[in-house]
Amino acid sequence: MDSGKGMLIVYSGPSGVGKGTIRKKVFERFGDKLFYSISMTTRAPREGEIDGVDYYFVTREYFEEQIEAGNFLEYAEFVGNYYGTPKDKVEKKLNNGYDVMLEIEVDGATQVKQKVEDAISIFVVPPSMEALENRLQGRKTEEQEIIQKRLEKARREIVLAGLYDYVVINDDLEEATEDVVSIIKSGHLKTPYSIPAYCKELIKQIKK
Amino acid sequence: MDSGKGMLIVYSGPSGVGKGTIRKKVFERFGDKLFYSISMTTRAPREGEIDGVDYYFVTREYFEEQIEAGNFLEYAEFVGNYYGTPKDKVEKKLNNGYDVMLEIEVDGATQVKQKVEDAISIFVVPPSMEALENRLQGRKTEEQEIIQKRLEKARREIVLAGLYDYVVINDDLEEATEDVVSIIKSGHLKTPYSIPAYCKELIKQIKK
């Protein structure tokens, strides 16, 4: 990240932890300075999903061409469908000085951290496994079997929280939002990116 | 820093940049969770300065005994007087879970960063050298020669901003305060310190 460049924010957390709700509140705080990266997928759109808003819906053939061409920041296959982050759109936004947030799975997050050294990564966890189970039960629409599978997946994800730069506990929505906002704000204050141009000039003058 | 331990915050900036004003506002935000480390010095108290509030005023002999005993986190000599940070008081507060802020010079900051690996360091800079000069001129109490000396010292300090983890520009007092608050908040969210106990338990269970 150069001084004028935006920051890449990798954002993950288990299903049911409330990361989408936090993300929306974080976006309210940053307005159009923060850009949400839309993933590309080969799965069929669900009812109400809009191409270019929820996902870019593409064919398997097109997706594999994009993989071949190295056009993904990260991608993965889940239950027979590809999901990935198109590199060009993210890079354009970053180069134009916007921060970009990727809401992706742990696998993808690891890929991104390897490619983009100065990306910051945030993992949202529930206050306890019981709290997560209660939240998943609260949805009521799900079969018990599905809930247990999600909890098992959540456990496998949560043990990898240490791969991330930051962990935010979603106990209170407002606090968790403030936490994510603080992380993003402080990311911009890290040296050497945060050193203002006149300071760099002083350094040059001294080196002469 | 263990999970239950406080965070050590090293805080510096050139004379006249307004770092004392920001610091006071930051302390208002954190209340008694944040502790200000009082320095020890061999210089004589100025009018109105109180022992144990502004500094611990001690004799040269006592200070040198403390150096010998390795009781300083950092110390330095300026114009014939010693200034230092007593280690025991800081460590006690950290062990009790309080964050501790040290407002010290660049030399001392480097010493602390070598000793306390997970300390975070913040350097406050003016928006420009002209702004700093205006602020120093505005005090009006100072001789021109003193102002020029301070500016020269500020230049030598500012070029070392890159030694710090974070740089905050004091253009607007409220914004600069928010910046420092964000840095401290996000410091607590860094892994591995921020990983909650139940997540660590999950990790242990999986390793079995």
Side-chain angles (χ1 to χ4, degrees):
Chain A
M1 183 173 73
D2 297 324
S3 300
K5 249 187 109 175
M7 193 166 64
L8 188 61
I9 303 145
V10 175
Y11 179 71
S12 308
S15 166
V17 78
K19 63 181 182 300
T21 317
I22 298 170
R23 191 236 304 158
K24 275 170 204 141
K25 291 188 80 73
V26 169
F27 271 79
E28 282 169 18
R29 293 286 295 276
F30 286 102
D32 56 11
K33 282 191 220 161
L34 186 57
F35 178 79
Y36 180 65
S37 162
I38 299 158
S39 294
M40 192 173 278
T41 185
T42 58
R43 85 152 162 74
R46 290 181 193 143
E47 211 183 308
E49 282 186 340
I50 300 163
D51 184 45
V53 174
D54 298 291
Y55 285 96
Y56 297 108
F57 295 102
V58 299
T59 63
R60 203 169 171 86
E61 193 187 356
Y62 181 81
F63 200 104
E64 287 175 344
E65 278 171 21
Q66 298 299 307
I67 296 174
E68 275 303 304
N71 288 347
F72 285 109
L73 255 184
E74 56 83 30
Y75 74 93
E77 204 173 354
F78 293 107
V79 234
N81 289 308
Y82 283 121
Y83 296 81
T85 302
K87 196 158 68 176
D88 55 344
K89 290 197 174 60
V90 170
E91 285 184 346
K92 202 176 159 190
K93 285 287 173 183
L94 292 174
N95 288 330
N96 288 335
Y98 295 93
D99 292 342
V100 178
M101 189 183 244
L102 311 180
E103 191 173 315
I104 54 178
E105 301 267 335
V106 178
D107 280 356
T110 313
Q111 292 177 48
V112 173
K113 285 294 277 185
Q114 281 164 356
K115 282 184 195 161
V116 187
E117 207 183 288
D118 45 23
I120 61 165
S121 58
I122 306 171
F123 194 81
V124 184
V125 296
S128 67
M129 287 310 291
E130 293 70 34
L132 186 66
E133 185 164 1
N134 288 340
R135 226 172 281 180
L136 289 171
Q137 296 284 5
R139 290 182 177 179
K140 282 182 182 163
T141 51
E142 318 270 16
E143 304 263 350
Q144 277 308 312
E145 201 187 325
I146 295 175
I147 290 177
Q148 291 311 317
K149 273 190 184 165
R150 289 208 165 166
L151 276 172
E152 195 39 56
K153 185 165 179 281
R155 264 185 220 104
R156 288 197 307 271
E157 288 170 346
I158 286 172
V159 295
L160 300 174
L163 296 174
Y164 286 71
D165 299 322
Y166 299 94
V167 165
V168 167
I169 302 173
N170 187 18
D171 196 3
D172 175 274
L173 176 62
E174 296 303 325
E175 273 179 35
T177 303
E178 280 311 310
D179 284 350
V180 175
V181 167
S182 290
I183 291 166
I184 296 174
K185 274 183 153 186
S186 69
H188 284 283
L189 301 168
K190 276 186 191 160
T191 54
Y193 317 115
S194 54
I195 299 175
Y198 83 89
C199 297
K200 290 180 189 159
E201 274 306 309
L202 283 180
I203 296 167
K204 275 188 205 159
Q205 285 169 26
I206 279 177
K207 279 188 182 158
K208 271 176 194 166
Chain B
M1 183 173 74
D2 296 323
S3 300
K5 248 187 109 174
M7 192 166 62
L8 188 61
I9 303 146
V10 175
Y11 180 70
S12 308
S15 166
V17 78
K19 64 181 181 298
T21 316
I22 297 171
R23 191 236 304 157
K24 274 169 206 143
K25 290 187 82 71
V26 168
F27 272 78
E28 283 168 18
R29 291 287 294 276
F30 286 100
D32 56 12
K33 283 191 221 163
L34 185 59
F35 179 78
Y36 180 65
S37 160
I38 299 159
S39 295
M40 192 173 278
T41 184
T42 58
R43 83 153 162 74
R46 290 180 193 143
E47 212 184 309
E49 282 184 341
I50 300 163
D51 184 46
V53 174
D54 298 290
Y55 285 96
Y56 297 108
F57 296 101
V58 299
T59 63
R60 203 170 170 85
E61 195 187 352
Y62 181 81
F63 201 104
E64 287 174 344
E65 277 170 21
Q66 298 298 307
I67 296 174
E68 275 304 303
N71 288 346
F72 286 109
L73 255 184
E74 56 83 31
Y75 74 94
E77 203 172 357
F78 294 108
V79 236
N81 289 308
Y82 283 121
Y83 297 82
T85 302
K87 198 158 67 177
D88 56 343
K89 289 196 173 62
V90 170
E91 286 183 345
K92 201 177 160 191
K93 284 287 172 182
L94 291 175
N95 287 331
N96 288 335
Y98 295 92
D99 293 342
V100 178
M101 190 183 244
L102 310 180
E103 190 173 316
I104 54 178
E105 301 267 333
V106 179
D107 279 356
T110 313
Q111 292 176 48
V112 174
K113 284 293 276 184
Q114 281 163 356
K115 282 183 197 164
V116 187
E117 209 183 284
D118 45 24
I120 61 164
S121 58
I122 306 171
F123 193 81
V124 184
V125 297
S128 66
M129 288 310 292
E130 294 70 34
L132 185 66
E133 186 166 0
N134 288 340
R135 228 173 280 181
L136 290 171
Q137 295 286 3
R139 292 181 176 181
K140 280 180 184 165
T141 50
E142 319 269 15
E143 304 262 349
Q144 277 309 310
E145 200 187 325
I146 294 175
I147 290 176
Q148 290 312 315
K149 272 189 185 165
R150 289 208 166 166
L151 275 172
E152 194 40 56
K153 185 165 178 282
R155 265 186 219 101
R156 288 196 308 269
E157 287 170 347
I158 286 171
V159 295
L160 300 174
L163 296 174
Y164 287 72
D165 300 321
Y166 299 94
V167 165
V168 167
I169 302 173
N170 187 18
D171 195 3
D172 174 274
L173 176 61
E174 296 304 326
E175 275 179 34
T177 302
E178 280 310 310
D179 284 350
V180 175
V181 168
S182 290
I183 291 166
I184 295 173
K185 275 183 152 185
S186 70
H188 284 282
L189 302 168
K190 276 185 192 163
T191 54
Y193 317 116
S194 55
I195 299 176
Y198 83 89
C199 298
K200 289 179 190 161
E201 274 306 310
L202 284 181
I203 297 168
K204 274 187 208 160
Q205 286 170 22
I206 278 180
K207 278 186 183 161
K208 269 177 198 166

